[in-house]
Amino acid sequence: MGNGTFITFEGPDGAGKTTIIKMVAEHLNNVLVTREPGGIDIAEQIRRVILAKENTAMDPRTEALLYAAARRQHLIERVKPALAEGKVVLCDRFVDSSLAYQGYARGVGMDEVFTINQFAIEDMMPKLTIYFDIEPELGLKRINNNKGREINRLDLENLAFHHKVREGYHILLEWFPDRMVKIDASGTLDEVFQTTLKLVKAKLKTP
Ligand code: TMP
């Protein structure tokens, strides 16, 4: 994996991840900020297919496979080279999103989705995953207030789906207690940012 550090950020939609990641990056050296699904051309193309509002016929397993394919390409083209250069890679979503959204909320099965993802990522798991926890009602309210943000096919899911996503993440916190840390994302931007930065800096100090 090289000498870099792979850190991922997770959470329901509207938790504020994307903004906080950018703020954290400004306080670190030698950092790459990237996101899933996408960040590179082939993965962005796959992202468009997954999230297009007209693709309502998409089967949940197809959705899981497409996310895994986009993940693979992004990992090979972007994440691995940066880690080999010793960078800190801050990635907006990774395998846990597939486990929570497709595995749990869509009902494909968390074990099944983990299996196909292991094929995609081999053994490349993050050193730290920060999970931004928020009530779906508040998350969706934030999305609706953020006029510049795109509304995608998954944003259009009903509230029950978003509650399931959150439940899925809570299961993952139990599955991966050493890797995943939960942050309460209902606080102010500055509170969430300070807590996140502290966690990231502490992890960067550990061997
Ligand atoms: P974003 O809004 O964070 O860019 O993510 C796009 C949507 O894709 C979001 O609703 C979460 C969803 N998603 C999955 O369902 N599975 C995945 O594996 C990933 C990476 C994202």
Side-chain angles (χ1 to χ4, degrees):
M1 227 206 249
N3 296 322
T5 308
F6 186 27
I7 298 177
T8 61
F9 297 82
E10 293 283 351
D13 300 275
K17 287 181 280 92
T18 312
T19 310
I20 303 277
I21 295 169
K22 282 192 199 131
M23 290 168 77
V24 168
E26 281 167 18
H27 289 76
L28 302 176
N29 296 320
N30 203 18
V31 61
L32 170 77
V33 174
T34 189
R35 74 159 185 188
E36 275 213 355
I40 49 137
D41 192 38
I42 293 173
E44 289 288 354
Q45 290 179 46
I46 299 173
R47 176 188 169 94
R48 283 201 286 278
V49 174
I50 302 172
L51 296 179
K53 279 186 221 139
E54 64 271 22
N55 283 343
T56 48
M58 191 176 291
D59 172 77
R61 286 188 179 217
T62 306
E63 188 176 286
L65 287 163
L66 286 173
Y67 274 116
R71 176 160 302 126
R72 170 76 188 173
Q73 191 65 28
H74 175 252
L75 196 66
I76 296 302
E77 266 196 68
R78 192 152 223 211
V79 176
K80 269 190 157 182
L83 292 173
E85 285 170 21
K87 290 198 166 118
V88 178
V89 177
L90 305 181
C91 188
D92 191 343
R93 298 196 182 278
F94 192 58
V95 65
D96 302 294
S97 284
S98 284
L99 297 173
Y101 282 78
Q102 283 69 50
Y104 192 77
R106 287 263 191 254
V108 175
M110 293 172 93
D111 285 321
E112 285 82 349
V113 173
F114 199 38
T115 302
I116 60 158
N117 272 277
Q118 277 166 324
F119 176 71
I121 67 174
E122 298 171 74
D123 59 350
M124 288 272 305
M125 287 298 274
K127 186 170 180 188
L128 170 68
T129 298
I130 298 180
Y131 163 64
F132 293 90
D133 190 49
I134 194 160
E135 291 277 347
E137 287 82 352
L138 182 55
L140 293 175
K141 203 163 133 200
R142 285 184 180 172
I143 290 174
N144 292 333
N145 288 340
N146 183 353
K147 301 285 180 236
R149 187 187 185 281
E150 62 164 25
I151 302 289
N152 63 49
R153 191 167 58 84
L154 289 161
D155 295 332
L156 297 174
E157 286 290 342
N158 63 24
L159 200 56
F161 177 82
H162 293 282
H163 274 284
K164 288 211 93 174
V165 169
R166 188 175 186 217
E167 269 173 56
Y169 276 122
H170 288 179
I171 294 170
L172 290 172
L173 285 165
E174 286 173 20
W175 274 21
F176 301 112
D178 298 337
R179 172 174 64 83
M180 282 183 91
V181 182
K182 176 171 105 170
I183 288 184
D184 176 3
S186 67
T188 66
L189 192 65
D190 194 55
E191 281 164 0
V192 182
F193 162 63
Q194 294 297 346
T195 313
T196 308
L197 186 64
K198 220 181 272 170
L199 278 169
V200 168
K201 285 197 163 168
K203 188 53 81 174
L204 291 177
K205 283 198 194 118
T206 62

